């Protein structure tokens, strides 16, 4: 052999290179198109972390409460998903109501530059 690549290995290498180029191109395109803030989603980003913290507990509790329900599995799933989503969102909103719970759950203040639990009055020295 003269050291040339066999045809199947060359095809495989070109295919992998083409797939990687396509993935990188799509990521670059998405990075440019999705770098714009979406107003509807901006309001939810503040509550994403508390929602994440409470949602698993809510799913387990709602699943336990519906354990004896003799319904279709798809209906059970949809009810648990809907109930857990609404209750988790509601709990996240309740947790954002006071400065103490915002501090405990890492929720950013609605006003930028405001630190939860701190007096915002300026003091002159």
């Amino acid at each position: 052999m003269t050291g040339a690549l066999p045809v199947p290995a060359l095809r495989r290498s070109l295919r992998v290179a083409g797939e990687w180029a396509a993935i990188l191109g799509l990521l670059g395109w998405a990075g440019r198109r999705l770098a714009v803030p979406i107003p509807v989603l901006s309001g939810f980003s503040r509550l994403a972390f508390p929602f994440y913290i409470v949602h698993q507990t809510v799913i387990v509790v709602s699943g336990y409460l519906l354990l004896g329900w003799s319904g279709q599995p798809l209906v059970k799933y949809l009810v648990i998903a809907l109930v857990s989503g609404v209750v988790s969102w509601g709990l996240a909103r309740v947790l954002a109501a006071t400065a103490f719970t915002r501090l405990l759950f890492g929720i950013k203040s609605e006003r930028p530059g405001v630190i939860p639990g701190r007096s915002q009055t300026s003091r002159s020295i």
Side-chain angles (χ1 to χ4, degrees):
M1 267 188 128
T2 61
L5 285 173
V7 174
L10 181 62
R11 283 187 187 154
R12 204 172 20 244
S13 298
L14 288 174
R15 180 179 172 191
V16 168
E19 289 171 352
W20 268 105
I23 290 171
L24 292 175
L26 286 172
L27 286 174
W29 176 81
R32 282 192 165 228
R33 301 289 285 175
L34 299 176
V36 179
I38 301 170
V40 174
L41 297 180
S42 297
F44 292 115
S45 66
R46 195 173 145 260
L47 298 177
F49 190 60
F51 183 92
Y52 172 74
I53 291 173
V54 299
H55 87 280
Q56 184 175 3
T57 304
V58 172
I59 289 171
V60 170
V61 168
S62 61
Y64 178 76
L65 293 174
L66 295 175
L67 194 59
W69 187 30
S70 61
Q72 295 292 323
L74 179 62
V75 175
K76 281 183 176 181
Y77 168 76
L78 292 174
V79 167
I80 289 172
L82 181 67
V83 166
S84 65
V86 169
V87 170
S88 297
W89 180 77
L91 283 173
R93 295 280 306 205
V94 167
L95 291 172
T98 66
F100 181 68
T101 54
R102 282 195 304 268
L103 180 65
L104 286 178
F105 285 86
I107 304 171
K108 294 178 183 176
S109 177
E110 290 179 348
R111 297 174 301 178
V114 174
I115 300 171
R118 265 197 156 167
S119 173
Q120 300 301 318
T121 59
S122 61
R123 295 182 184 166
S124 333
I125 299 177

